[in-house]
Amino acid sequence: NDWSLAALQAKKFFTGYLIELSLSIDNLFVFLLIFTYFRVPKDLRHRVLFWGIMGALIMRMVMIFAGAELVERFHWLIYIFGAFLIYTGLKIFKDTEDDFDPSDAGIVRLATRFIKISKEYHGDHFFILKDGVRTGTLLLLVLIVIEFSDLIFAVDSIPAIFGITTNKFIVYTSNIFAILGLRTFFFLLADLADRFHYLKIG
């Protein structure tokens, strides 16, 4: 009946929400490392996170709707997604590298290759005019790194939710609600990191 169907859909939504939220916790630590490495002023972090989340919502919408369409047409892709999750899990488990250096990331080299980036912050601006040339600020580079890191995490989390349901609405809305809560959790984590300095190491 309608009630049992609604309860089933609600259960799928809540499960998808919990999966996305739990997998997104790693994002917060990566975001904190990125902000710390680039020495982003605290009063500018909220701007990067705001636009980072907006970008994440758009990217995930494209990935989810495209992925759901592919799964509906080629159901065997579910098994490929599952194999990919197992592979990434094993890779993370075997990875013993503790150092994180965003400057070595390929996205930084790619961004600085195609976009002229200033080495300084200029208030909350992402772009400035420098010698008559439109130049990206260091804040723009931080935003690009944040977006790219979220994209990497999305590649892991979205296939996990597809294992529960291929309903586009449920997958996307559960992602949205989980992501929107990350901003609040980040500032809580950042505050704890300031209070307990060794939290940054662990």
Side-chain angles (χ1 to χ4, degrees), residues 8 17 32 42 49 55 73 76 125 130 134 137 155 170:
L8 177 62
Y17 169 79
L32 184 60
K42 291 185 178 180
L49 286 176
R73 295 190 179 189
W76 48 267
H125 298 290
K130 188 175 182 180
R134 189 174 179 83
T137 65
V155 172
I170 293 177

Side-chain angles (χ1 to χ4, degrees), residues 60-69 158 162 168 171-172 175:
R60 287 169 187 255
M61 179 178 65
V62 174
M63 294 175 66
I64 288 171
F65 279 79
E69 191 68 26
I158 291 177
F162 276 142
K168 303 182 188 72
V171 175
Y172 185 58
N175 261 256

Side-chain angles (χ1 to χ4, degrees), residues 63-92:
M63 294 175 66
I64 288 171
F65 279 79
E69 191 68 26
L70 287 173
V71 169
E72 287 180 1
R73 295 190 179 189
F74 310 102
H75 186 72
W76 48 267
L77 285 175
I78 285 289
Y79 301 104
I80 295 180
F81 288 156
F84 178 75
L85 287 175
I86 294 174
Y87 167 76
T88 54
L90 292 174
K91 186 176 180 181
I92 292 173

Side-chain angles (χ1 to χ4, degrees), residues 76-167:
W76 48 267
L77 285 175
I78 285 289
Y79 301 104
I80 295 180
F81 288 156
F84 178 75
L85 287 175
I86 294 174
Y87 167 76
T88 54
L90 292 174
K91 186 176 180 181
I92 292 173
F93 180 75
K94 293 180 179 179
D95 189 7
T96 57
E97 182 64 44
D98 294 326
D99 296 330
F100 177 77
D101 187 358
S103 64
D104 290 336
I107 187 62
V108 173
R109 295 192 295 269
L110 184 64
T112 53
R113 181 178 180 181
F114 291 98
I115 304 175
K116 185 176 178 61
I117 299 290
S118 170
K119 295 183 179 180
E120 300 175 350
Y121 293 103
H122 296 268
D124 61 354
H125 298 290
F126 289 119
F127 290 96
I128 59 169
L129 282 177
K130 188 175 182 180
D131 299 327
V133 179
R134 189 174 179 83
T135 304
T137 65
L138 190 55
L139 196 65
L140 175 66
L141 183 61
V142 174
L143 177 62
I144 292 174
V145 175
I146 289 287
E147 291 286 8
F148 182 75
S149 64
D150 181 75
L151 177 63
I152 297 301
F153 281 108
V155 172
D156 285 342
S157 63
I158 291 177
I161 302 179
F162 276 142
I164 299 171
T165 178
T166 56
N167 185 301

